[in-house]
Amino acid sequence: MRTMDKKTQKLKEKLEQELATLELELTDIGRINTADHYDWTGTSGSYQAGTADKNILADKIEESQTNDSIVTELEARRANVVKAIESIEKGEYGKCDECDIKIPKGRLEANPAATTCIDHAK
C-alpha cells in the first residue's frame, strides 16, 4: 500500500464504510452470483416455493422486480466505490476519467467515489 496524506486516508476510510453499508444493503434485498462476485440479483426475500395463491406469487414477483432495480443502482455505486479504493491504493486517486485533471478536494469530500470533475459530471 502506498503512503497517502491524511485527507486521502480519511476519504479511503469513508469509502470503506460506504462499501460495507452497500454490501449490507445488497444482502438485504439481493443474492450474489457465486460465479461472479460483482453480479447481484434482486430477491423477494421470503419467497417460498410451492405457494399456490396467485396474488401472493404476483406480489413476490413484483417485489423481486423492484429489488432488481434497486440492486442495479446499488451495484453501480458499489463498483464506483471499489474503483475509488483501488485507485487510492495505486496512487491514482482523484483524477477525472474524462480529462485526467485533478478532481477538486471539495467534490471528493462530498462524493469520495467521484470519477469525474464537475465539468464532466453526469
Side-chain angles (χ1 to χ4, degrees), residues 74-114:
L74 291 173
E75 274 183 303
R77 181 64 184 173
R78 183 186 180 278
N80 285 340
V81 169
V82 168
K83 180 181 176 184
I85 292 169
E86 289 172 351
S87 70
I88 287 172
E89 291 171 353
K90 292 177 184 174
E92 301 169 355
Y93 179 67
K95 292 182 183 174
C96 177
D97 285 352
E98 299 293 323
C99 64
D100 208 34
I101 67 166
K102 193 171 185 176
I103 299 171
K105 284 281 188 189
R107 176 160 170 73
L108 292 173
E109 287 171 0
N111 178 10

Side-chain angles (χ1 to χ4, degrees), residues 3-120:
T3 305
M4 62 187 83
D5 61 45
K6 287 183 181 185
K7 284 187 179 185
T8 303
Q9 180 62 39
K10 285 187 180 200
L11 291 173
K12 183 179 180 194
E13 290 168 5
K14 189 174 179 181
L15 286 162
E16 289 169 340
Q17 290 171 351
E18 182 176 358
L19 180 60
T21 300
L22 287 166
E23 289 176 348
L24 280 174
E25 290 174 353
L26 281 163
T27 302
D28 283 346
I29 62 168
R31 171 180 62 245
I32 194 164
N33 178 344
T34 55
D36 178 359
H37 292 293
Y38 292 97
D39 183 31
W40 291 75
T41 304
T43 63
S44 62
S46 60
Y47 176 77
Q48 295 178 5
T51 302
D53 186 309
K54 290 180 182 179
N55 292 323
I56 292 173
L57 287 173
D59 288 345
K60 294 297 180 184
I61 291 169
E62 183 179 351
E63 184 179 354
S64 179
Q65 289 172 339
T66 299
N67 286 348
D68 264 343
S69 298
I70 296 168
V71 163
T72 299
E73 291 177 30
L74 291 173
E75 274 183 303
R77 181 64 184 173
R78 183 186 180 278
N80 285 340
V81 169
V82 168
K83 180 181 176 184
I85 292 169
E86 289 172 351
S87 70
I88 287 172
E89 291 171 353
K90 292 177 184 174
E92 301 169 355
Y93 179 67
K95 292 182 183 174
C96 177
D97 285 352
E98 299 293 323
C99 64
D100 208 34
I101 67 166
K102 193 171 185 176
I103 299 171
K105 284 281 188 189
R107 176 160 170 73
L108 292 173
E109 287 171 0
N111 178 10
T115 59
T116 60
C117 64
I118 294 170
D119 291 340
H120 292 107

